[in-house]
Amino acid sequence: MKICVVGLGYLGATHALAMAKLGHEVLGLDLDTNRVDYLNAGKVPFHEPGLQESLREALSEESVTFQTSFEMTEPAAVVFICVGTPQTSSGQTADTSFVFSAGESLAKIILPDTVVVGKSTVPVGTAEALRDQMSEVAGFPVHLAWNPEFLREGTALEDSLNPDRIVIGSWDDYSSQKLKEVYKPILDRGTPLVEVDVPTAELVKVAANAFLATKVSFINAMAEIAEVSGADAVDLAKAIGYDDRIGNKFLRNGIGFGGGCLPKDIRGFVARAEELGAGEAVSFLKDVDAINQRRRARVVTLAEQELGRLNDKKILMLGLSFKPDSDDMRDSPALEIALQLAKAGAEVTIHDPMSLDAMGDKHLELRREHDISVAAKGQELVILGTEWAEYNSIDPVKFGAQVKTRLIIDGRNVLDVAAWQTAGWRLIALGRNVHN
Ligand code: UGA
């Protein structure tokens, strides 16, 4: 099928390549010239395992092309809207302006039988307004469906090609049939298909992210209790996780969730529910957010407890991205902690296997160091902020010889406590009862 994907960020670029892998002929549209030039040159503008290879493959097979102009020489049967919906700078709501401007431009180039499919995460009710706006501009009733995406950064392509489920929300049978054709290879493998109305499809996405955020904050709340009662939140998570009604996934306590999705989605959800007069229903998400923020503050407090006044204290932050295998630092707990420590007067060095270059000329108050053993020199406190695999293979004995003080806060609970303690480190693990 001829497919068009509008918006070539994380979601759109991945989706375009997933569509090409399924055998479709894909046109990717984005107004950002740099991004389009990059992609046409076979380069992915962000770090995502496997995407680079798939892009080169798709370009050489000519199954994908990218352009900045909103025109299609051959009409696409299905157009996916994958533009971003960031948090507004003035408040907590999701900014849907990119969705509506993409809709307006598309309405001028689509045909009456084109199916437009929203994939962006939007406040419930957006699709209906978009359908009305597009139909008015196009001069015919536009077929619009909603098909949320659940990919995670770090495993984006894999998640797109092997989803747990496909959710299709539509007002008409024609649109859902077209979408089922698009996903035929995936559906033929027995992947569950959930067909719903459009508001449900919009809600599914934010509800899923709200649930995941709640799960992480739940275990982080338990960590707070563990810290004042001498209990151990990691053992607790293990014990409750064996109950398969609870499950052990998304139950890792630490410095909390970040990224371009979970934090802004729970805030946007609360804001939308309030607009709809049902704010109380999800007001608990404000606590979920607050618990998450408190974990970041906790690390700063621990640093102060250990070091006294932070002025001129040398602190090393290991990891900056919001999760490993990603160079994304949006709402990253590690980065925010590093900035708070620097603000309190500490001399903060940052190390990350992937994100240092992506930082450009931002946050120059943080000293960047690519070589981890150079970074370690003279440090009075080390904080593990992102659980990159390479940090697990640090030899605590050799590493201990570089630093000034063998003091580490494991913000992700991944280090081998006994090995670090045997090497003479004082190790503080969030929510854990480790005797130093
Ligand atoms: C999230 C969802 O998991 C995806 O399903 C969704 O499609 C995506 O948002 C989106 O809306 O586009 P992602 O932001 O890539 O995916 O990251 P996650 O893997 O969900 O992790 C989010 C944060 O939670 C990370 O900072 C991670 O460190 C933290 N986390 C996760 C924990 O602190 N503990 C856990 O047990 C799990």
Side-chain angles (χ1 to χ4, degrees), residues 11 121 149-154 159 165 205 208-209 212 215-216 219-220 248-265 292 321-324 331-333 385 387 412:
L11 169 62
T121 304
E149 176 63 56
F150 306 99
L151 62 81
R152 293 159 298 173
E153 294 189 16
D159 289 347
R165 74 296 206 189
K205 178 60 195 272
N209 277 359
L212 293 170
K215 218 175 162 189
V216 174
I219 201 61
N220 279 331
N248 60 10
K249 290 184 184 150
F250 256 72
L251 220 47
R252 285 179 290 109
N253 83 281
I255 55 174
F257 59 81
C261 303
L262 262 46
K264 71 130 173 116
D265 285 355
N292 197 47
S321 51
F322 84 103
K323 68 192 264 191
D331 214 331
S332 162
E387 67 278 32
R412 294 294 184 178

Side-chain angles (χ1 to χ4, degrees), residues 22 49-50 57 66 79 112 211 223 230 272 340 357 361 382 415 422 428:
L22 291 186
E57 201 179 289
F66 303 103
V79 181
F211 192 88
R272 181 61 181 146
Q340 282 180 20
D357 295 336
D361 55 7
V382 179
L415 297 176
T422 310
I428 301 170

Side-chain angles (χ1 to χ4, degrees), residues 80-92:
F80 287 96
I81 298 183
C82 295
V83 295
T85 51
Q87 189 175 324
T88 48
S89 47
S90 53
Q92 309 270 296

